[in-house]
Amino acid sequence: MQAHKIPIFKPWVSEWMARSVIFAILMTCLFSFAYYSSPVSAMGFYGVQATDVQYAMVLLYGSTVAFLALDFRIVKYFAPRKYLLIALAINALCSVICFHSKDWTLFVICQFVQGITCALMSGIVLQLTFPRLQSTRARVIAYSLLYGSIQIAVPFYSIYSSLVLHFYNFNWLFYGLIIILIVLTLLVLLTMDSKARFTKKIPLYQVDWVGYLFYVSFILILGYILVYGRQLGWYDSCLIVLFSLGNLAILTLFIVRESKLKRPLIDLQIFKAKNFVIGLLLLFVFYIFKGSTGLAYGYLEVILGNDPLSSIPIWIAVISGTVLSMFITSRFILTGFNLIRIIIVGFGFMALYYAYMLLFVSVQGETMDFMLPMFIYGVATGVLFVPIVSFTASTAPPKIAINASLVGILARFTGFTTSLALNNELQLFAKSAVREKVRETLTETNSQLPVTLLDIQNQYMNAGNDGYIAKGVSGGYFNQFVGQQILARATRDYYDLMLLGVVCIIVILLLLPQIQQVILRLMKGNIPY
């Protein structure tokens, strides 16, 4: 058996076994996002609203983003195996608590803690993967594998949760995670060296704990404003105004503090790097467009009546498109193909996805009709993600390259959370506009209304119902039909706006000559998040 080249593992462990353990750690740290693949199940189990479930997901994501900035220092103090076992133990404890409890507050607290463990585990994965890669070729391949895994994690765990929720209650998702954590713990104990380290032990002095508190507070308050803003009436709400002013003060204090420290949590000098801000904006808008697929899944469930198991082919199509496009895109990057042109092609695929959805969104359809557009969506994400991250990472000077990763994941988080806010706002706006048009048309003076109701009533009577029941049910059926029409029309209007946004991004990229000739420079210090 050939020994591996990763010094953290024991000598007898083969290279492929070491890589498999690394992949298992990565996929396990992303498991918590499986709880949100079926928001209706979470809402029913805990008795909460849709915005509460959205914020729990934002809390998990935000906790991960914030702690990654600290993890860069802490991982140099602990031995990797011990550090990883601590994360696994805390994660398992949170899962046990959630399995035996139906308390929403307790679940949210555990999600914050599990976000920290997600950061611990993903930090270990990155340290195991990137520092030992010397060539640009190896780094591009590693980028593709890492981000490919992240991109397919959501549909992969959606398939898993659909199968579990079909047979068991929501809390059995926690039971599944506990089993996975036990197996992974045994693998880590068996294969990893307890004394091996990434670097020499660096004491935890001058760690910016205060900066972390500012940072995590800013992230979580921002998420709260964006998720609950529509529900509370935005700035008609005193709470939103107070949170906005408070968050502005926190951000100001954070910037002032980080500018003065010798070892800041995030070195803000990274914003002076040429084209770095453009890379962040691309990440931001990419996640806004990426977040719009929640509407497609909602359409399949509400209008087409798909149960979770029926959506499995859709998720498989997304996974297939992502994997295939990631593989092809990495080859183009390695041949030196222009990054911006690849990004433009990726946004072109995203525009094609929206155009296809506009053609097929209606009150009638089959699940198979949406296999191709969701495959195209998977292709778009696969084509876009690695080039955008590579473009952003290439702009960073080697001394502060890690900060490009930390700010990059913040841009991804902000884009994701903004997409939730836009979904809530634009859907409400579109539904209101469509509902008003319908109300103007469906009046008692409309001669077709009684004819339609009578036709529905006759269909129920022909099915064996008596006249009284048929008359009562026909009104409910008609209201449901009108509601489906409103949702379908609102979905089309929303995708119209998204398509227009994608086209604008493509035009802007074509008209920015200063970024057309960006050269890929992935230094050893570039560790992506």
Side-chain angles (χ1 to χ4, degrees):
M1 181 179 294
Q2 182 182 0
H4 62 85
K5 299 178 182 178
I6 309 175
I8 300 300
F9 290 89
K10 294 178 180 178
W12 60 267
V13 177
S14 69
E15 182 74 9
W16 281 107
M17 181 178 287
R19 293 177 182 179
S20 298
V21 173
I22 294 172
F23 179 76
I25 296 170
L26 173 63
M27 295 303 289
T28 302
C29 79
L30 299 171
F31 184 96
S32 294
F33 290 96
Y35 307 142
Y36 307 101
S37 57
S38 180
V40 175
S41 298
M43 291 162 58
F45 184 77
Y46 287 106
V48 295
Q49 300 179 8
T51 47
D52 297 324
V53 176
Q54 287 180 350
Y55 187 67
M57 180 167 51
V58 167
L59 187 93
L60 172 67
Y61 197 172
S63 174
T64 302
V65 171
F67 199 81
L68 278 170
L70 267 185
D71 179 76
F72 177 67
R73 287 292 308 275
I74 298 177
V75 76
K76 296 179 180 179
Y77 177 79
F78 290 99
R81 191 175 83 157
K82 180 179 180 181
Y83 193 52
L84 185 56
L85 290 174
I86 291 173
L88 293 172
I90 294 174
N91 205 335
L93 177 62
C94 289
S95 299
V96 170
I97 292 173
C98 291
F99 178 73
H100 291 287
S101 170
K102 290 186 66 173
D103 184 79
W104 177 251
T105 302
L106 195 59
F107 171 75
V108 169
I109 293 172
C110 287
Q111 286 296 274
F112 179 82
V113 176
Q114 287 182 307
I116 293 176
T117 64
C118 179
L120 298 182
M121 295 167 71
S122 58
I124 292 286
V125 169
L126 296 171
Q127 290 290 341
L128 285 171
T129 305
F130 286 93
R132 69 192 188 91
L133 301 177
Q134 302 297 328
S135 67
T136 299
R137 174 183 174 83
R139 290 180 175 277
V140 169
I141 293 173
Y143 271 47
S144 300
L145 292 173
L146 173 70
Y147 286 121
S149 301
I150 292 174
Q151 291 298 298
I152 68 172
V154 172
F156 176 79
Y157 283 128
S158 295
I159 295 173
Y160 165 81
S161 63
S162 297
L163 294 171
V164 172
L165 294 175
H166 183 73
F167 297 102
Y168 304 102
N169 293 330
F170 181 83
N171 64 328
W172 283 86
L173 290 174
F174 300 109
Y175 184 81
L177 177 57
I178 293 168
I179 298 300
I180 292 173
L181 290 170
I182 291 174
V183 173
L184 183 58
T185 299
L186 294 176
L187 277 175
V188 169
L189 288 171
L190 182 66
T191 60
M192 294 182 70
D193 190 338
S194 61
K195 298 181 179 179
R197 309 184 64 89
F198 294 126
T199 62
K200 66 177 182 180
K201 185 176 181 179
I202 300 178
L204 293 176
Y205 63 89
Q206 294 184 343
V207 176
D208 189 12
W209 299 101
V210 176
Y212 166 73
L213 293 178
F214 282 146
Y215 191 44
V216 71
S217 299
F218 171 78
I219 287 173
L220 298 186
I221 293 174
L222 176 65
Y224 186 92
I225 293 170
L226 291 174
V227 170
Y228 287 102
R230 175 66 273 167
Q231 180 177 316
L232 298 176
W234 291 112
Y235 290 102
D236 291 334
S237 167
C238 294
L239 183 62
I240 294 296
V241 172
L242 180 64
F243 275 3
S244 298
L245 293 175
N247 225 25
L248 183 61
I250 290 173
L251 179 61
T252 303
L253 291 173
F254 179 75
I255 292 173
V256 171
R257 178 179 177 83
E258 299 308 291
S259 300
K260 293 181 178 180
L261 288 180
K262 182 180 179 181
R263 292 183 177 87
L265 188 73
I266 297 177
D267 192 337
L268 301 181
Q269 295 297 317
I270 187 64
F271 285 95
K272 296 181 180 179
K274 185 179 179 181
N275 294 326
F276 177 70
V277 174
I278 294 177
L280 291 183
L281 291 175
L282 287 174
L283 277 173
F284 177 76
V285 298
F286 167 64
Y287 264 75
I288 288 179
F289 295 133
K290 187 174 182 290
S292 66
T293 53
L295 193 59
Y297 295 130
Y299 165 80
L300 292 171
E301 182 177 343
V302 175
I303 295 183
L304 299 189
N306 272 20
D307 61 79
L309 291 183
S310 300
S311 297
I312 289 178
I314 298 292
W315 290 316
I316 292 175
V318 174
I319 293 173
S320 302
T322 302
V323 172
L324 178 63
S325 60
M326 281 268 186
F327 176 79
I328 296 174
T329 302
S330 64
R331 293 298 179 267
F332 273 99
I333 294 175
L334 290 174
T335 59
F337 199 84
N338 187 283
L339 285 177
I340 294 300
R341 291 178 184 175
I342 297 176
I343 293 172
I344 291 173
V345 170
F347 280 119
F349 276 113
M350 190 68 77
L352 181 62
Y353 159 72
Y354 287 128
Y356 198 111
M357 291 295 288
L358 285 171
L359 291 175
F360 281 86
V361 169
S362 66
V363 293
Q364 294 180 339
E366 298 291 337
T367 303
M368 299 304 294
D369 294 335
F370 295 90
M371 292 283 288
L372 180 58
M374 298 312 293
F375 176 82
I376 294 172
Y377 163 75
V379 170
T381 57
V383 172
L384 282 169
F385 206 1
V386 173
I388 292 177
V389 171
S390 301
F391 172 85
T392 307
S394 294
T395 64
K399 290 184 179 180
I400 56 174
I402 184 63
N403 296 277
S405 302
L406 299 177
V407 179
I409 193 174
L410 176 62
R412 287 160 52 192
F413 167 81
T414 308
F416 168 76
T417 313
T418 303
S419 74
L420 294 178
L422 284 175
N423 286 349
N424 294 337
E425 189 72 29
L426 292 178
Q427 284 186 59
L428 180 63
F429 175 78
K431 287 179 182 178
S432 299
V434 175
R435 189 176 290 110
E436 183 62 25
K437 290 291 184 181
V438 172
R439 189 189 65 80
E440 293 174 1
T441 303
L442 295 178
T443 62
E444 293 182 358
T445 59
N446 189 326
S447 59
Q448 287 299 116
L449 181 58
V451 174
T452 302
L453 289 174
L454 183 60
D455 182 54
I456 297 173
Q457 183 177 336
N458 289 333
Q459 289 184 30
Y460 276 102
M461 292 179 65
N462 292 335
N465 297 290
D466 60 46
Y468 180 78
I469 294 177
K471 185 176 181 179
V473 175
S474 62
Y477 176 85
F478 181 75
N479 290 333
Q480 180 184 2
F481 177 75
V482 171
Q484 289 180 341
Q485 291 282 0
I486 291 173
L487 178 58
R489 180 66 256 184
T491 301
R492 287 173 57 83
D493 290 345
Y494 182 82
Y495 280 142
D496 273 330
L497 292 173
M498 291 292 104
L499 178 59
L500 179 62
V502 173
V503 171
C504 289
I505 295 297
I506 292 173
V507 171
I508 291 172
L509 290 176
L510 290 172
L511 296 179
L512 285 177
Q514 70 270 25
I515 65 172
Q516 294 294 328
Q517 303 300 324
V518 172
I519 300 174
L520 180 64
R521 297 188 304 273
L522 297 179
M523 312 294 184
K524 186 176 180 180
N526 293 104
I527 301 178
Y529 281 129

